[in-house]
Amino acid sequence: MPTSYNFNPFPREWCGMRRRFLFETSMGLGTAACASLLNLSGARAESSGSDSRFLTKPPRAKRVIHLFMSGAPSQMDLFDHKPVLQEMNGQEIPKSIIGSQRLTTMTSGQASFPVAGSHFRFDRCGDSGLEVSELLPHTAKIVDRLAVIRSMSTDPINHDPAVTFLQTGSSITGRPCLGSWLSYGLGSENSNLPDFIVLTSSGGPGGQPLLTKYWHSGFLPGKHQGVQFRSQGNAVLGLNDPPGISRNERRQTIQTVNNLNRIKFAATGDPEIEARMNAYELAFQMQTSVPELMEIQGEPEHILKMYGAVPGESSFAGNCLIARRMVERGVRFVQLFDKDWDHHANLPVNLRKQTQRTDQACAALVLDLEQRGLLEDTLVIWGGEFGRTAYCQGSLTSETYGRDHHPRCFTMWLAGAGIKPGTVLGKTDDFSYNIVEDPVHVHDLQATILHCLGIDHERLTYRYLGRDFRLTDVGGKVVNAILS
């Protein structure tokens, strides 16, 4: 056993890095604050602007607002009117309609599958004559600005894989989501805010959980990950300066840390180090941009009333107004997740509550974007991860019914840049159970969204583990019928 040690706790390469760091930062700390005003970090600056490799034409849309109704709204109670359901209410759904389709374990063991007719009246609205449920009086007034797809379909039959599939193009966790792909393919329009921001709201304590993987960048560099903002209190936790630390001292700290990171990045080329540098710089800029962004109390009273938003109150309406403020400032992709649309029981009561919370704000967002000249280059999307069954889950009574998951057909709508207004695409059978005309798969929707942004979905790829991945996997075709 040796009697003496020559132990250095720092590897030799670290000692060299320390000498380089001290030399390179000796002149930089005093001017760091000034430099930050003149230029953002190279890592973020390089991400600005579109990548021409992915573009097919000048984009109609520059940004996207996705209104995601988590849990799956019932299409036959909102947009896909089926009088046959009322006529056959309580009768067994024909076996020929279900065929050999798989059912969830929540209803596959039922002895009976009674048809559940909608409790809600439908009216033809606008010049397009689109039939809309009485639950959506505000959306009914803007139908001539929408393209409604009644023939959406997806692959998974349960919530988490279906949400993952809609967001990433795969039901397997670990792929980049749509917002991350857009950040990667199009870059930034605003150096003071993230390219991709997420806001969440809820109608109550229940609902499917909203997992952070739904806005994760997957194998793309971390700088493309969605950033969740809170609509009440501090929008981003940890963003404020610690007590006793001035803004100039914070700037110097960030500059010092990033100088070390640059040295390590030069030695290793690790993209996560670059992402970390970018995150530090962006967080510093957000300290001034975020508080102003979230202060909706500065909006005119008629705008607050239009949305139904109350300053200081966390709500879907407030999030819609904040989303408009975000796209005004150049945020590329804003995603609003609203919980509690999963109505396996007591649907007539629960669905009404959800639409009362959201309908006014959805319509207001479209109208507000339009009056500000933003709708012409902003794409708005509304919908959930799949649809609901025509038959009742559990007991059917004259007062209530519930509906199970149904991936075979559901409804979504789009509005704004590149979309043909007043369009209705697709047709389902008399039970809103099977698509009979113009099917649109989730991969087709993803391809169409990218197309509106000027991106060829087959070109937007990223090489990982020896394979070129893309949002639409190996499928997807642009839905030209809804494009202007």
Side-chain angles (χ1 to χ4, degrees):
M1 182 173 180
T3 57
S4 63
Y5 298 91
N6 183 19
F7 177 67
N8 183 351
F10 300 103
R12 182 174 299 177
E13 61 179 277
W14 283 30
C15 297
M17 287 175 60
R18 183 180 62 180
R19 287 191 294 272
R20 288 178 58 196
F21 167 70
L22 293 173
F23 173 78
E24 293 180 12
T25 61
S26 61
M27 300 296 291
L29 295 179
T31 59
C34 178
S36 74
L37 298 176
L38 297 175
N39 186 31
L40 200 58
S41 72
R44 186 160 182 83
E46 289 172 5
S47 72
S48 301
S50 303
D51 192 326
S52 59
R53 292 176 299 160
F54 308 135
L55 301 181
T56 58
K57 61 173 186 174
R60 293 291 303 276
K62 293 181 179 179
R63 60 199 76 88
V64 177
I65 299 175
H66 185 189
L67 308 173
F68 183 70
M69 308 296 109
S70 176
S74 172
Q75 74 277 9
M76 70 280 292
D77 291 290
L78 296 177
F79 288 105
D80 199 8
H81 186 209
K82 297 300 177 184
V84 169
L85 299 184
Q86 276 88 359
E87 296 169 9
M88 292 186 60
N89 188 64
Q91 299 180 38
E92 195 74 7
I93 190 170
K95 292 183 178 180
S96 60
I97 297 299
I98 297 179
S100 60
Q101 295 178 35
R102 58 180 175 162
L103 308 178
T104 75
T105 56
M106 291 174 284
T107 55
S108 59
Q110 288 186 185
S112 177
F113 295 88
V115 170
S118 177
H119 279 199
F120 308 109
R121 187 189 72 252
F122 279 71
D123 297 307
R124 293 193 177 275
C125 305
D127 294 334
S128 61
L130 174 69
E131 290 183 289
V132 180
S133 168
E134 63 179 294
L135 294 178
L136 301 172
H138 297 278
T139 301
K141 296 176 182 177
I142 65 164
V143 291
D144 289 334
R145 296 170 175 83
L146 310 180
V148 177
I149 305 175
R150 287 174 170 159
S151 52
M152 288 296 307
S153 70
T154 188
D155 295 349
I157 199 171
N158 288 313
H159 291 289
D160 177 66
V163 177
T164 304
F165 191 79
L166 182 70
Q167 299 297 326
T168 71
S170 171
S171 59
I172 301 172
T173 298
R175 306 281 180 89
C177 61
L178 173 59
S180 296
W181 279 112
L182 294 184
S183 173
Y184 165 66
L186 295 176
S188 175
E189 285 192 315
N190 187 326
S191 60
N192 298 323
L193 290 168
D195 304 328
F196 174 18
I197 298 177
V198 171
L199 296 165
T200 65
S201 56
S202 176
Q208 294 297 316
L210 297 177
L211 308 176
T212 57
K213 71 174 185 176
Y214 297 152
W215 49 89
H216 201 275
S217 58
F219 46 69
L220 291 177
K223 63 183 177 182
H224 302 299
Q225 183 164 320
V227 178
Q228 184 180 357
F229 278 30
R230 303 190 312 162
S231 52
Q232 200 171 40
N234 292 330
V236 182
L237 296 177
L239 193 62
N240 296 336
D241 290 327
I245 301 297
S246 70
R247 184 162 173 80
N248 186 56
E249 289 170 326
R250 181 70 165 243
R251 173 70 269 180
Q252 291 182 0
T253 300
I254 292 173
Q255 185 71 22
T256 302
V257 171
N258 273 353
N259 280 332
L260 280 172
N261 281 328
R262 289 187 185 96
I263 295 170
K264 189 66 175 177
F265 179 71
T268 66
D270 184 353
E272 288 307 310
I273 297 175
E274 183 183 36
R276 191 179 306 123
M277 290 190 290
N278 179 69
Y280 285 142
E281 293 286 355
L282 178 58
F284 184 76
Q285 302 298 325
M286 286 166 60
Q287 284 185 306
T288 55
S289 62
V290 169
E292 182 275 332
L293 166 68
M294 305 298 285
E295 291 174 354
I296 67 171
Q297 60 266 30
E299 291 284 337
E301 185 63 30
H302 73 277
I303 293 295
L304 293 172
K305 185 176 179 181
M306 180 181 182
Y307 282 87
V310 178
E313 181 181 286
S314 179
S315 67
F316 178 80
N319 286 352
C320 284
L321 179 50
I322 292 169
R324 188 222 76 202
R325 292 169 64 85
M326 287 178 175
V327 298
E328 278 184 314
R329 290 156 177 77
V331 176
R332 182 72 69 184
F333 189 81
V334 183
Q335 195 157 36
L336 275 58
F337 286 84
D338 189 65
K339 288 177 60 177
D340 208 19
W341 291 82
D342 187 22
H343 301 146
H344 292 270
N346 203 19
L347 183 146
V349 171
N350 292 327
L351 183 59
R352 186 181 293 276
K353 288 180 180 178
Q354 288 300 97
T355 55
Q356 287 174 342
R357 290 179 49 252
T358 61
D359 175 48
Q360 178 180 345
C362 289
L365 176 62
V366 173
L367 293 174
D368 198 13
L369 290 170
E370 183 180 56
Q371 70 183 4
R372 293 167 187 271
L374 289 167
L375 191 60
E376 63 188 27
D377 57 7
T378 302
L379 178 63
V380 183
I381 307 162
W382 180 98
E385 63 268 37
F386 43 55
R388 315 301 300 196
T389 56
Y391 61 79
C392 180
Q393 177 175 342
S395 300
L396 174 67
T397 71
S398 58
E399 291 81 26
T400 191
Y401 54 90
R403 301 191 189 278
D404 199 6
H405 309 166
H406 189 59
R408 296 283 293 188
C409 62
F410 60 105
T411 299
M412 298 185 74
W413 62 253
L414 299 87
I419 298 301
K420 185 187 298 182
T423 303
V424 180
L425 179 68
K427 182 179 179 182
T428 59
D429 61 22
D430 289 339
F431 298 84
S432 192
Y433 207 92
N434 299 287
I435 297 170
V436 296
E437 288 182 11
D438 300 315
V440 177
H441 189 265
V442 163
H443 284 150
D444 302 331
L445 175 71
Q446 294 162 341
T448 304
I449 293 169
L450 295 179
H451 178 83
C452 290
L453 289 148
I455 297 175
D456 183 338
H457 73 102
E458 294 184 345
R459 292 186 187 180
L460 182 61
T461 61
Y462 189 87
R463 181 160 285 269
Y464 176 68
L465 297 178
R467 174 190 163 187
D468 288 335
F469 285 86
R470 70 185 205 218
L471 174 64
T472 52
D473 197 33
V474 295
K477 60 181 184 298
V478 175
V479 186
N480 291 302
I482 66 168
L483 301 180
S484 59

